[in-house]
Amino acid sequence: MTAEPLAEVKFDCEVLNIQAHEDCVRLSLPGNQTVDVPWVVAADGAGSAIRRSLDVETDGPGDMGHFLNVMFRAN
Ligand SMILES: Cc1cc2nc3c(=O)[nH]c(=O)nc-3n(C[C@H](O)[C@H](O)[C@H](O)COP(=O)(O)OP(=O)(O)OC[C@H]3O[C@@H](n4cnc5c(N)ncnc54)[C@H](O)[C@@H]3O)c2cc1C
């Protein structure tokens, strides 16, 4: 965990669940940890689990393609 005056940054940390409460938003993290925060910005990508958990729909054409990256070593 890294701290700086404006934010606490947790690297390599997956949000497993998110619950809205009267006075905070509670995030469930691995290892039975919870963090209470005043608000959340759902920046978890196009397939956002947070967006879906809040029943927020997307706008526009939606899925525009499927990609597969293959990394290999060869002569
Ligand atoms: C193959 C490919 C090529 C692309 N090429 C281009 C291009 O040339 N030009 C262009 O403008 N755009 C391109 N895009 C689109 C661009 O990548 C996305 O529009 C952009 O990355 C979206 O940014 P974002 O921050 O919203 O989400 P993302 O970049 O997807 O970041 C979301 C982050 O949230 C993290 N996350 C997700 N769930 C959780 C969770 N539960 N807990 C904690 N963290 C979580 C993910 O690990 C990820 O780091 C491309 C996309 C793909 C797939």
Side-chain angles (χ1 to χ4, degrees):
M1 186 188 329
T2 305
E4 64 95 37
L6 297 176
E8 186 181 293
V9 181
K10 286 176 181 279
F11 291 105
D12 203 15
C13 180
E14 183 182 8
V15 174
L16 301 175
N17 191 25
I18 177 166
Q19 287 179 314
H21 292 273
E22 283 276 305
D23 54 343
C24 70
V25 183
R26 178 158 298 158
L27 308 177
S28 302
L29 308 179
N32 284 328
Q33 291 181 78
T34 58
V35 178
D36 290 348
V37 291
W39 43 266
V40 166
V41 176
D44 52 342
S48 174
I50 295 175
R51 176 181 56 74
R52 277 187 272 116
S53 76
L54 297 173
D55 284 331
V56 177
E57 294 183 5
T58 54
D59 206 359
D63 223 346
M64 296 179 73
H66 297 272
F67 302 91
L68 176 66
N69 295 323
V70 179
M71 194 174 88
F72 61 92
R73 295 181 203 285
N75 292 329

